[in-house]
Amino acid sequence: MQASDRFNINSQLEHLQAKYVGTGHADLNHFEWALNIQRDSYASYIGHYPVLAYFAIAENESIGRERYNFMQKMLLPCGLPPERDED
């Protein structure tokens, strides 16, 4: 692998990270990463009707109630953010 190939791969990765929030970046901490994963999962559950119906049957709830519950969980899927050190 040449230096130009490495630069090209890094520039493509930076472009993806700027375009799509869920791909992360070098300064992303564990909490923000987990937050993105959880929100993406809940959005996928809501967007795919058969998966939403599966969850509704498994929890013995209506599909609308499951959709509402997932949307509520999207607000704080990992709890409150940790305290940050002010340097």
Side-chain angles (χ1 to χ4, degrees):
M1 181 180 281
Q2 296 177 347
S4 63
D5 293 339
R6 223 175 288 130
F7 176 74
N8 190 16
I9 291 171
N10 285 336
S11 65
Q12 289 176 357
L13 183 61
E14 289 174 4
H15 175 71
L16 282 175
Q17 290 169 344
K19 189 172 181 182
Y20 301 108
V21 177
T23 56
H25 52 80
D27 297 328
L28 193 67
N29 62 25
H30 183 269
F31 178 78
E32 292 171 348
W33 176 79
L35 192 71
N36 286 337
I37 297 297
Q38 288 290 330
R39 285 188 175 157
D40 286 349
S41 297
Y42 289 136
S44 178
Y45 301 156
I46 292 169
H48 293 93
Y49 186 81
V51 176
L52 187 62
Y54 176 81
F55 279 115
I57 291 170
E59 295 185 7
N60 197 22
E61 293 282 349
S62 69
I63 292 174
R65 173 59 63 183
E66 280 302 307
R67 181 178 286 124
Y68 175 78
N69 289 340
F70 285 143
M71 288 170 64
Q72 290 299 313
K73 288 179 184 179
M74 284 177 73
L75 295 176
L76 287 173
C78 299
L80 294 173
E83 297 292 326
R84 292 193 177 185
D85 296 331
E86 306 265 340
D87 292 335

